[in-house]
């Protein structure tokens, strides 16, 4: 009897528990049936708030009863729905745009296609396999962007170098580290994907809104939210945690990141004790003072510490006919530290329904230290390649034996202070922008480094004046303060029914070169407005890049006071076609461009270090074609394919030299146009996503990159006398993921449903084909003056796991 009563009690209790919570779910879309992510769903009189996911879906667990739900999203009218919840219910909601709302961000987003910018889906960052954990890695999938280094966040665009790219976070210009020499030293990129609202990128021909660089612009906007939400990512190579919360009139976003890629570095050619420590703390605080005034604070503290105690290295390279092997034993250590601090206070004031003011005050502080003193003794051999002779791998001939030393005590401190006031005005089909900006740069640079190279007792000196025969020697101390004034005016207007013209004029002046440089730019868009959704664009502009600091410093470390601003004239024609095929919406872009490069400062690339020859000038060009197609070939999973063809050359003034022919006669040679260091003729990339086993919850993410050969030459050699190249860059990364809380999961976990909006498990294989990609060379010279290039390889195959939880 007691057992019978207990059984009834348990069944009754289970029934009550089952009725305690019901599932309210649905999908939120706009009038065009497009999914809306980031919609806030709140329940009146309850502390329940949810955010719709990338598919516009939401899920709330509630007890039976009557509820009032509010669905809100910036730019849309708020939807209020009354609901009597008696069973598991699906409630789909359609939000209507608020036509009375003037939001500059919305205006900019609508003009993205018109201005020729490429929108980047930040969500793809967490889906794409990425060994460097840098947001910029996504750019290497875009047309016009070249790549040959997965460890670095640096990138080259249409023949330009790393210094020629503009980067903004919420209209604050961001600067890259200056002293970094290779990717393993690089820490976390300043761009935090967890905080991103939207991203736009232009590979050239960008409008007057953006500043004074020769190649590209990356425009990143951070966000806060109107509700509490958090995301945590934990993986083999690092972790991150971000939270969004509201406190009265304050909306706050706070994020912490840590990168520990020791397992990646341990697979580098140089074996030793690696100790990388990379940290990043960022915050965005939004204070709504009243209906007109909004105040925003952006803060970033980024720290990178890298230390290495090298032990040994063994590199085998060559061909089947001739295989060479370098063995090195090391002593010494390297300790580097790079710190970035960013603070920006922005005041947004709405004058009326048509006009708005923005005042941005920012400070960017960099502190960089490099300390290395590493010696090595090496054996350089040719080894046996005959598998059948019994001596495979044995030494056939010794090519060299010797020692080297790399020494450096470098430090640089930089401070960039800026104040920028912007005015926006919109009326009917016309939009105006204007800005005036003042900036002061302060740089203090202490440079002391040398390189000693001895092969079998034969030392390669530069001179004997230092009292020590050195191959390379730099010793300089520079302090520089530069004041800059810049501004622009930009107008975007409809011209008739089919044309839109975005025309503007920038100007800038700096106290170092004392140049006043106007920069006119325009983008003309033609929309036939027929059945096809296609846009044709023509863009042109005069772009100037005033020297910041690195362009001023010559090979010897001294500042050249005669350096002038570099200039470029862009001509771009493109088409942007949206169409339906394969049962989905696709987008096909084609772009042809020509850049006339004027008054350039020639440079050399040593891995990631850009070294300018500040005593020379050159002229050149870059020309090419870009093709890309993107879309959801598989439902809810975006994929893209692109092909870029490019050629860039320059003619260096005063580069003639004397050569002796076979008959002993001397000839003066004028090389004319030669390849620039970034002359990578072909770039091809694929980012493809699919579902495994016909299951919507198991996904595969494939990234493929190919970049053709890059020019290279030994140090202290005129590049026009060599035809050496770095082999093509080839890389395949693959990732697998499963969202445990995917709405289409057959089996769901109640505990996860209660506490998380999303819980995704990832497994990734970096460098799937284990290809040894070359990033640079170690050059050795024997007593016969034969020079050998020993490749420095990038990362090998690695396995990575991570979990991303959102709640």
């Amino acid at each position: 009897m007691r057992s019978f009563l207990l059984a009834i009690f348990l069944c009754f209790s289970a029934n009550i528990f089952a009725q305690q919570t019901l599932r309210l779910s649905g999908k939120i879309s706009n009038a065009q049936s497009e999914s809306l992510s980031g919609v806030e769903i709140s329940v009146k009189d309850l502390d329940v708030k949810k955010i719709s996911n990338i598919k516009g879906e939401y899920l709330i667990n509630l007890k039976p009863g009557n509820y009032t739900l509010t669905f809100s999203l910036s730019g849309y009218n708020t939807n209020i729905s009354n609901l009597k919840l008696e069973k598991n219910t699906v409630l789909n909601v359609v939000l209507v745009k608020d036509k009375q709302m003037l939001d500059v961000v919305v205006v900019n987003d609508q003009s993205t296609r018109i201005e020729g910018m490429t929108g980047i889906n930040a969500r793809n960052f967490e889906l794409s396999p990425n060994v460097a954990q840098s947001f910029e890695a996504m750019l290497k999938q875009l047309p016009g962007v070249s790549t040959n280094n997965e460890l670095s966040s640096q990138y080259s665009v249409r023949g330009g170098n790393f210094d020629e790219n503009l980067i903004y976070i919420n209209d604050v210009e961001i600067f890259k580290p200056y002293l970094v020499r290779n990717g393993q030293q690089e820490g976390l990129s300043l761009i935090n994907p967890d905080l991103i609202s939207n991203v736009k990128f232009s590979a050239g021909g960008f409008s007057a809104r953006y500043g004074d660089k020769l190649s590209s612009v990356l425009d990143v906007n951070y966000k806060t939210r109107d509700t509490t939400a958090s995301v945590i990512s934990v993986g083999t190579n690092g972790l991150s945690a971000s939270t969004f919360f509201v406190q009265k009139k304050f909306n706050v976003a706070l994020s912490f990141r840590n990168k520990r890629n020791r397992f990646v570095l341990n697979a580098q050619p140089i074996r030793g004790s690696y100790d990388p420590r990379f940290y990043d703390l960022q915050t965005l605080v939004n204070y709504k003072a009243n209906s007109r005034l909004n105040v925003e604070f952006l803060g970033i503290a980024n720290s990178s510490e890298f230390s290495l105690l090298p032990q040994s290295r063994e590199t085998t390279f060559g061909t089947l006919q001739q295989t060479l092997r370098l063995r090195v034993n090391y002593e010494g250590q390297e300790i580097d530290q790079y710190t970035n601090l960013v603070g920006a206070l922005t005041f947004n004031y709405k004058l009326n329904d048509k006009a708005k003011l923005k005042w941005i005050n920012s400070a960017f502080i960099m502190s960089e230290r490099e300390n290395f003193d590493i010696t090595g003794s090496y054996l350089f051999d040719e080894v046996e390649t005959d598998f059948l002779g019994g001596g495979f791998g044995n030494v056939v001939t010794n090519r060299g034996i010797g020692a080297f030393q790399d020494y450096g005590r470098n430090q640089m401190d930089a401070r960039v202070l800026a104040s920028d006031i912007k005015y926006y005005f919109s009326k009917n089909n016309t939009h105006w922008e204007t800005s005036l900006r003042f900036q002061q740069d302060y740089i203090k640079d202490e440079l002391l480094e040398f390189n000693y190279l001895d092969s079998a007792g034969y030392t390669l000196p530069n001179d004997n004046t230092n009292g020590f025969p050195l191959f390379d020697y730099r010793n300089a101390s520079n302090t520089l303060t530069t004041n800059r004034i810049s501004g622009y005016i930009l107008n975007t207007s409809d011209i008739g029914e089919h044309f839109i013209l975005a025309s503007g004029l920038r100007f800038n002046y700096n106290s170092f070169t004392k140049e006043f440089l106007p920069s006119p730019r325009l983008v003309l868009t033609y929309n036939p407005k027929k059945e096809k959704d296609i846009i044709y664009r023509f863009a042109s502009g005069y772009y100037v890049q005033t020297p910041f600091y690195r362009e001023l410093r010559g090979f010897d470390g001294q500042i050249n006071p005669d350096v002038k601003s570099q200039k470029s004239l862009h001509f771009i024609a493109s088409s942007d076609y949206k169409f339906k095929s394969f049962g989905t919406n696709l987008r096909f872009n084609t772009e042809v461009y020509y850049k006339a490069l004027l008054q350039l400062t020639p440079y050399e690339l040593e891995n990631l270090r850009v070294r300018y020859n500040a005593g020379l000038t050159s002229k050149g060009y870059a020309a090419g074609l870009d093709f890309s197609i993107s879309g959801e070939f598989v439902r809810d999973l975006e994929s893209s394919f692109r092909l870029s063809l490019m050629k860039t050359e320059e003619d260096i003034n005063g580069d003639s030299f004397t050569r002796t022919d076979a008959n002993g006669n001397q000839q003066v040679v004028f090389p004319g146009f030669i390849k620039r260091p970034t002359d990578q003729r072909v770039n091809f990339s694929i980012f493809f996503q699919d579902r495994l086993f016909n299951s919507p919850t198991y996904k595969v993410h494939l990234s493929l990159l190919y970049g053709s050969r890059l020019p290279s030459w030994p140090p202290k050699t005129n590049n026009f006398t060599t035809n050496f190249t770095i082999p093509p860059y080839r890389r395949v990364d693959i990732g697998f993921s499963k969202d445990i809380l995917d709405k289409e999961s057959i089996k769901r976990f109640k505990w996860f449903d209660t506490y998380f909006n999303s819980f995704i498990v990832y497994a990734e294989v970096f460098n799937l084909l284990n290809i040894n990609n070359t990033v640079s060379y170690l050059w050795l010279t024997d007593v016969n003056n034969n020079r050998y290039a020993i490749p420095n390889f990038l990362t090998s195959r690695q396995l990575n796991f991570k979990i991303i939880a959102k709640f």
Side-chain angles (χ1 to χ4, degrees), residues 129-132 149-151 184 237 261-271 274 314 729-734 764-775 792-800:
N130 181 357
V131 67
N149 193 336
E150 67 271 4
L151 281 177
Q184 64 188 24
N237 56 359
N261 58 345
R262 185 179 302 175
F263 84 102
V264 175
L265 300 181
N266 284 337
Q268 292 286 87
I270 297 178
R271 299 185 181 278
Y274 290 88
E314 180 174 320
Y729 180 85
R730 297 159 296 164
R731 186 173 178 91
V732 178
D733 299 315
I734 192 168
E764 300 171 324
V765 182
F766 302 134
N767 196 359
L768 177 66
L769 303 181
N770 203 27
I771 298 172
N772 284 329
N773 286 304
T774 301
V775 67
N792 294 314
F793 295 127
L794 288 162
T795 57
S796 59
R797 182 163 50 221
Q798 298 287 334
L799 182 64
N800 181 55

Side-chain angles (χ1 to χ4, degrees), residues 223-225 227 243-247 250-254 283-286:
K223 63 175 181 290
T224 57
R225 295 185 179 180
T227 185
T243 185
F244 303 83
F245 60 92
V246 179
Q247 186 66 34
F250 289 92
N251 291 40
V252 181
L254 184 64
T283 185
L284 181 67
V285 181
N286 193 295

Side-chain angles (χ1 to χ4, degrees), residues 88-293:
N88 292 338
T89 303
V90 176
L91 176 63
N92 297 323
V93 175
V94 177
L95 297 185
V96 179
K97 285 189 176 181
D98 183 359
K99 297 182 180 180
Q100 304 299 320
M101 182 177 179
L102 176 65
D103 190 321
V104 174
V105 175
V106 174
V107 172
N108 288 340
D109 288 342
Q110 292 173 344
S111 66
T112 297
R113 198 177 177 203
I114 296 171
E115 293 184 3
M117 305 284 284
T118 299
I120 301 176
N121 186 353
R123 181 176 180 269
N124 286 339
F125 172 82
E126 65 183 44
L127 300 176
S128 177
N130 181 357
V131 67
Q133 302 178 62
S134 68
F135 181 82
E136 290 88 336
M138 294 183 61
L139 302 181
K140 298 171 184 179
Q141 301 280 353
L142 299 181
V145 181
S146 300
T147 179
N148 75 324
N149 193 336
E150 67 271 4
L151 281 177
S152 173
S153 62
Q154 303 278 20
Y155 54 95
S156 171
V157 179
R158 291 179 176 173
N161 66 38
F162 309 140
D163 288 341
E164 298 178 14
N165 305 311
L166 280 165
I167 301 177
Y168 295 97
I169 298 179
N170 286 23
D171 289 336
V172 177
E173 186 173 355
I174 299 299
F175 299 89
K176 292 285 189 178
Y178 266 61
L179 298 184
V180 167
R181 289 171 286 113
N182 53 64
Q184 64 188 24
Q185 297 171 308
E186 271 201 45
L188 287 157
S189 163
L190 291 183
I191 301 174
N192 188 334
D194 289 346
L195 304 182
I196 289 177
S197 172
N198 59 77
V199 185
K200 296 182 290 185
F201 176 77
S202 173
F206 43 90
S207 73
R209 177 184 299 116
Y210 301 108
D212 305 301
K213 292 289 180 102
L214 296 183
S215 292
S216 74
V217 60
L218 177 65
D219 186 1
V220 179
N221 277 293
Y222 280 179
K223 63 175 181 290
T224 57
R225 295 185 179 180
D226 296 329
T227 185
T228 300
S230 299
V231 55
I232 296 177
S233 174
V234 180
T236 310
N237 56 359
L239 62 89
S240 67
S242 302
T243 185
F244 303 83
F245 60 92
V246 179
Q247 186 66 34
K248 296 183 180 180
K249 293 186 176 182
F250 289 92
N251 291 40
V252 181
L254 184 64
S255 182
F256 170 79
R257 294 182 294 164
N258 166 244
K259 175 181 173 182
R260 52 179 192 272
N261 58 345
R262 185 179 302 175
F263 84 102
V264 175
L265 300 181
N266 284 337
Q268 292 286 87
I270 297 178
R271 299 185 181 278
S273 176
Y274 290 88
D275 189 14
R277 301 178 183 180
F278 306 139
Y279 302 96
D280 179 84
L281 180 65
Q282 301 194 20
T283 185
L284 181 67
V285 181
N286 193 295
Y287 173 67
K288 189 173 182 180
N290 51 53
S291 60
R292 291 180 177 270
L293 177 62

Side-chain angles (χ1 to χ4, degrees), residues 12 63 92 225-226 340 406 494 652 689:
F12 179 73
K63 296 178 181 179
N92 297 323
R225 295 185 179 180
D226 296 329
N340 293 289
D406 290 326
D494 292 349
I652 301 175
Q689 302 187 89

